[in-house]
Amino acid sequence: MTSLPLAQKATGWFFQPVALGRVAAMRFLAGAFIWVDWWWYMPWILGHRHVPGELYQPLFIARILPVFPVPNHSIVVGTLVVLLAASIPMMFNKAPRLFGWIVAAAYFEWMIIAMSYGKVDHGKFGFLILLFLLPTMPKARWGDRRNLSEHVGWGFNLVQIGVICTYFFAAWAKIRYGGWEWVNSATMTWAIIRRGTEYSTWLLDYPWLLRLSQWGMVGFELLSPVVMFVAAKRLKYGIVAFFYLFHLTVFLAVEISFLPHMVAMACFLPLERIDPRDLIRRAPELPGRIRRKLQARNGIPGPRRREDTAKAAEPTS
């Protein structure tokens, strides 16, 4: 068997087909997060409707594209209303391309409003890429594992690259601006003193452990691109699970959340296996199925079902 040229292998990897059911799941997650973002995750953005225009310092892209006006009460509230209204039909796959583009444009403006006053988050990068790629994907339904699309595979690969770039370039920025002192100094000690929790303050008595965690964090971020080239699905899902565990640990330690990044990272997972209607239909059977599995694992014979008794052959005389 002859090996494929490198260009063909790269093309095959980049356009690997993905089931359409994953598209429906990601649209729902993205729309649901937009409501969480407004109500709980970053509610302070709405407060910019009262901020004087003199304090507005637009991001670079807002300076080179003359389509972003200075935020005022009408612009901030109007952007939020359009964003929330369009996210609902997108979540439930109603004209997903039309409403998907509206959501992407409105959320982009929402981020310009949020980040043009001195605070810029890098945890929204992958989520923004996701919002701009979902409208390019076809209409889909939950649990569809039969219909595959190379275009969907291409789109989700771009989102995955954005997610990994968030990690890799975060490490690069630490080294570029903080130097190697970022990992050799009291970075985590300062973070815990400033915003530590009951789960992390005890670490202040072990500064060597905090320094080790700094090296581990940078090493993890630099090695994160490995997940893109892992062929074994179980190993890839295990690495992604480690990413989620890492963010949970950071949140418990210093209450820094990367929720939009985690939503975008879900495109690594086989969400096409989830069908809410099937789960609801099988919900009454779930306790019995769990009980039978536990009995089979413990070697306890379960009660014979009526249909099994009817199928059993009668003993010969």
Side-chain angles (χ1 to χ4, degrees), residues 35-256:
W35 281 81
V36 172
D37 191 23
W38 159 69
W39 181 256
W40 173 77
Y41 188 70
M42 297 177 72
W44 49 266
I45 301 177
L46 185 59
H48 286 170
R49 68 191 187 278
H50 300 304
V51 177
E54 294 78 10
L55 300 179
Y56 176 67
Q57 297 180 356
L59 299 176
F60 174 74
I61 191 168
R63 294 197 301 269
I64 63 175
L65 296 178
V67 294
F68 299 97
V70 177
N72 54 33
H73 190 281
S74 300
I75 291 174
V76 174
V77 174
T79 301
L80 178 61
V81 170
V82 171
L83 178 62
L84 295 178
S87 65
I88 295 176
M90 183 194 74
M91 284 173 62
F92 297 102
N93 213 36
K94 305 298 182 182
R97 289 185 170 178
L98 171 63
F99 290 108
W101 283 119
I102 295 174
V103 167
Y107 194 80
F108 190 70
E109 167 65 9
W110 191 241
M111 288 297 97
I112 296 295
I113 295 171
M115 307 300 171
S116 294
Y117 296 89
K119 181 181 184 295
V120 180
D121 292 340
H122 66 286
K124 295 286 186 84
F125 180 62
F127 186 71
L128 274 170
I129 295 176
L130 173 67
L131 288 184
F132 275 94
L133 284 169
L134 283 176
T136 71
M137 299 179 185
K139 194 172 184 179
R141 59 181 179 83
W142 283 89
D144 184 1
R145 290 188 279 176
R146 180 174 300 178
N147 297 307
L148 306 178
S149 170
E150 292 181 350
H151 177 82
V152 171
W154 166 80
F156 282 146
N157 265 328
L158 289 179
V159 179
Q160 292 170 11
I161 291 172
V163 168
I164 297 304
C165 284
T166 302
Y167 290 129
F168 185 83
F169 287 109
W172 178 73
K174 291 180 180 73
I175 297 170
R176 178 186 177 187
Y177 296 105
W180 291 109
E181 287 303 311
W182 195 97
V183 291
N184 286 320
S185 62
T187 305
M188 285 302 299
T189 301
W190 173 81
I192 291 176
I193 291 174
R194 181 169 173 258
R195 52 189 307 164
T197 68
E198 58 182 326
Y199 301 105
S200 60
T201 50
W202 63 273
L203 289 168
L204 294 174
D205 297 328
Y206 304 93
W208 64 270
L209 192 57
L210 290 173
R211 183 173 298 181
L212 183 63
S213 70
Q214 292 165 188
W215 277 96
M217 188 183 305
V218 172
F220 146 70
E221 290 173 337
L222 290 175
L223 293 174
S224 59
V226 171
V227 71
M228 299 295 299
F229 307 101
V230 173
K233 290 185 178 181
R234 288 189 177 182
L235 179 57
K236 175 174 286 192
Y237 299 153
I239 296 174
V240 174
F242 172 79
F243 290 171
Y244 280 108
L245 183 62
F246 167 78
H247 288 293
L248 176 61
T249 303
V250 171
F251 179 75
L252 292 177
V254 291
E255 293 186 336
I256 295 177

Side-chain angles (χ1 to χ4, degrees), residues 3-50:
S3 59
L4 292 174
L6 182 60
Q8 286 183 283
K9 288 184 178 180
T11 302
W13 169 82
F14 207 80
F15 293 92
Q16 186 175 3
V18 170
L20 293 184
R22 194 177 306 187
V23 179
M26 291 304 300
R27 280 182 176 137
F28 182 85
L29 287 177
F33 170 74
I34 286 172
W35 281 81
V36 172
D37 191 23
W38 159 69
W39 181 256
W40 173 77
Y41 188 70
M42 297 177 72
W44 49 266
I45 301 177
L46 185 59
H48 286 170
R49 68 191 187 278
H50 300 304

